[in-house]
Amino acid sequence: MSKISASETPTSDVIVIGLAKVESRDGKKFRPVSSGFKIDEVSLAKALAEIGATGAKDEVLKLPGINQKLLVVTGLGAHAENYSHETLRAAAGAAARSLAGIRKASFSLPHKDSTGFAAIAEGALLGSYSFDRFRGKTKNDQKPPLASIEVQTRFGRERSILRRAEILAKNTHLVRDLINTPPSHLTPITFCEDIRSLAKKLTLKIEITSDSQLKKLGFGGIIGVGQGSANPPRLLHISYQPKGAKKSLAYIGKGITFDTGGLALKPAQGMEAMKSDMSGAAAVCAAILAIAELKLPIRIDAWAPLAENMVSDNATRPSDVIKIYGGKTVEVLNPDAEGRLILADALVRAAEVAKADKKRKFEGLVDVATLTGAQVVALGTRTSAVMTNDESLSKRFLSCAESTGELFWPMPLPEDLRASLDSPVADIANIGERMGGMLVAGLFLRDFVAPETPWLHLDIAGPAYNEKYPHGYTPVGGTGVAVRTLVALAEVTARR
Ligand code: BES
Ligand code: MN
Ligand code: ZN
């Protein structure tokens, strides 16, 4: 991870400033903006016009400096008196990405309070990421991420703000690493071991349920999905129980280490992206690690049902019936709708454990999953969906997302679609009406949550994995989406 510090005046000879779009009567189209970095604006404007600068978001230009070694200009879009924290986060991230190979840079971006300061720190750290674990001879050609970040600020230079940014970035990077790790190297077992070694350092309770135990205990969803693979399934449970916590939340993440579709085999085109089908599991594990390191005063339980959805003579067949933990039966009409099966097991178990804790008020279940292609069709690749049985929990979550800059949008669970999941042979079928497939998946999960238990379902199928080009602080590959908002939800819920 890059180092981070704050300073009132820049001490590096690589300086990052902002460029805003303006429309002024004298024909000016952009304006350099900073947090007090002194520069000859006239000659800078001339140079920027010369190289076609616009100030658009995600435009990063590098100029050889005169007083400094390098001047980096990062686009902020339309000029504003007070830039939104997400604009600052993205602009800092884009600049940081362009500075791979550089030792140190000072970020002088315009902000009016400590929220802006925190956003710049987060963006710069999140943008300083690379994944080269599986490179051989080409490893040395890769430039390492910007090593040291200095944020120029007059606001709240407290160490706590930087520490929070570091913890969020470190754990977001962990999610990205897990997603980017190929399924040849990331199996349910190695996932558990990686997380176990991190959880140990924070003295978290960790419990890993093996395939034979899962079978005995009746986790038919995880077993049914995992039984076609040579890499056996697991249920990972991490518990953070700080002394004096009066509330609790349970986070549940879909952990399919590779989704071939099973006997409903996916076409080769695009299947490679299904190494990202454990993004939800990675996000909830990273979130609890961050929450524990931040010492938030709330009990959190993270659950990661882990399985590989493969094709074999042992794989679940379309029409097989399985029994979810707790006893409900499911007719598996489509083995490619596997995420909801492993989540159903974990939701039932998570609620059981949460309700057994009589000392704390249980504030709800939050599941996170790359659940449906329909989510991507509905909301695109950058906006995640939120479904719920509890409007006030959903509102609280959405306001957390507003503060972290992660894009989430509320989606309904229409009653009329529920009937399409009725099965002629079992309690419920695992697929229903194709139209509105994201909502049907949400309705399926709702069947495994007691109506009085507050519950949120986050479908992150699009945003979890970036297959196109990098932007803002988001690299290509695993993005780490949901971690920041899950941490914020724990912060806000603890304070309530
Ligand atoms: N992991 C996929 C969903 C997915 C698709 C995530 C694209 C990210 C990008 C999930 O297991 C799946 O295959 N869902 C099916 C459900 C269908 C069979 C009802 C889908 O969306 O096609
Ligand atoms: Mn699938
Ligand atoms: Zn899947």
Side-chain angles (χ1 to χ4, degrees), residues 254 256 259-262 266 274 277 309 334-339 371:
K254 171 177 174 182
I256 297 293
D259 183 11
T260 65
K266 288 181 183 293
M274 287 300 117
D277 214 17
N309 192 20
N334 188 328
D336 195 14
E338 83 296 341
L371 205 61

Side-chain angles (χ1 to χ4, degrees), residues 355-367:
K355 287 172 187 169
D357 181 353
K358 301 289 181 223
K359 286 188 301 203
R360 299 167 179 110
K361 179 164 184 286
F362 181 41
E363 295 277 345
L365 301 164
V366 183
D367 77 69

Side-chain angles (χ1 to χ4, degrees), residues 93-165:
R97 270 195 295 106
S98 81
L99 290 172
I102 300 277
R103 205 184 51 75
K104 182 172 181 182
S106 289
F107 286 68
S108 181
L109 295 173
H111 58 287
K112 294 226 151 101
D113 52 27
S114 57
T115 316
F117 164 52
I120 296 164
E122 279 173 29
L125 285 166
L126 289 168
S128 304
Y129 173 79
S130 75
F131 183 74
D132 63 5
R133 184 177 151 199
F134 294 93
R135 288 185 183 277
K137 286 190 175 140
T138 58
K139 203 170 207 147
N140 293 332
D141 311 337
Q142 301 292 307
K143 290 180 184 159
L146 170 62
S148 176
I149 294 158
E150 179 180 80
V151 183
Q152 192 190 354
T153 188
R154 293 185 288 121
F155 304 100
R157 278 190 287 128
E158 311 98 65
R159 191 61 216 165
S160 66
I161 290 182
L162 293 179
R163 214 177 79 82
R164 183 175 182 281

